[in-house]
Structure formats: C-alpha cells, structure tokens
Amino acid sequence: MKLVYTHPNIAVLVQAHSLIEQAEIECVLRNEYASGAMGELAPINAWPEVWVVNDRDFERASSIVEASQRAVEGPDWQCAQCASYSPATFDTCWQCGAERV
Ligand SMILES: [Zn+2]
C-alpha cells in the first residue's frame, strides 16, 4: 500500500480515485468521512487519502493524479441546489448531481 494523494476536498479525492480506477489500478480511499463540517477544512492528518494497493502502481497512479491536477482550470464552483463546492472540471455537482449553472 502506498499513499498517492491527499486533499482536503473529498470531491477532488473521489475524482482522483475514479481516474486511477479507470486505469485498472487497484486503489482505496481512506479517511473519506474524516473531513470537517461543510466549508471547514479538516486538520491535515485527517484529510481524505487515496492509496494504491500495489506499490508497483504508485508511479503510474501519481502521474494520473498529476495530469488531472493540470487539467483543473479555475476555482471550485458552488452548487445552486445544495451549496456544495465542486472542482472546476466537474460539469455536475459531486454531491447532488445538479447541473452546473
Ligand atoms: Zn449540489
């Protein structure tokens, strides 16, 4: 097991996790319920984390995450329905699935 990525915003983590999964790399989320209340950042030791199960996949998983970070443009946007923040690369709200307006 190796830690690939950690970020205070669970939405960003879930996206990284699914990108890694799409590459058929076995990975898991940790601390996914540890983040603080809405709009409040958890302490860094409680940030959600993405881990690869097999150490040999680490390099590949890291480059996938890096590439996805470069693709992020602009600030997070706020959902009109539920007020959650989603990364700029999301077209729909990660929380409730509402279209971005
Ligand atoms: Zn929403």
Side-chain angles (χ1 to χ4, degrees):
M1 295 277 286
K2 251 187 159 178
L3 175 64
V4 179
Y5 186 50
T6 183
H7 194 282
N9 187 339
I10 184 68
V12 175
L13 257 288
V14 167
Q15 187 193 34
H17 178 259
S18 63
L19 286 171
I20 295 167
E21 266 191 336
Q22 278 163 29
E24 295 183 350
I25 296 171
E26 219 181 320
C27 58
V28 292
L29 280 172
R30 281 190 176 175
N31 287 345
E32 58 184 305
Y33 303 114
S35 49
M38 190 75 66
E40 199 180 296
L41 298 186
I44 188 155
N45 61 0
W47 283 11
E49 300 166 340
V50 180
W51 292 67
V52 285
V53 174
N54 300 304
D55 289 7
R56 65 170 185 278
D57 292 327
F58 176 76
E59 292 292 327
R60 207 151 64 91
S62 313
S63 54
I64 290 167
V65 170
E66 265 171 40
S68 78
Q69 293 311 294
R70 279 196 300 272
V72 172
E73 282 172 22
D76 293 357
W77 55 276
Q78 189 174 20
C79 176
Q81 298 251 7
C82 72
S84 293
Y85 285 92
S86 292
T89 48
F90 282 38
D91 292 327
T92 54
C93 173
W94 69 275
Q95 176 79 269
C96 72
E99 294 278 328
R100 183 179 183 173
V101 281

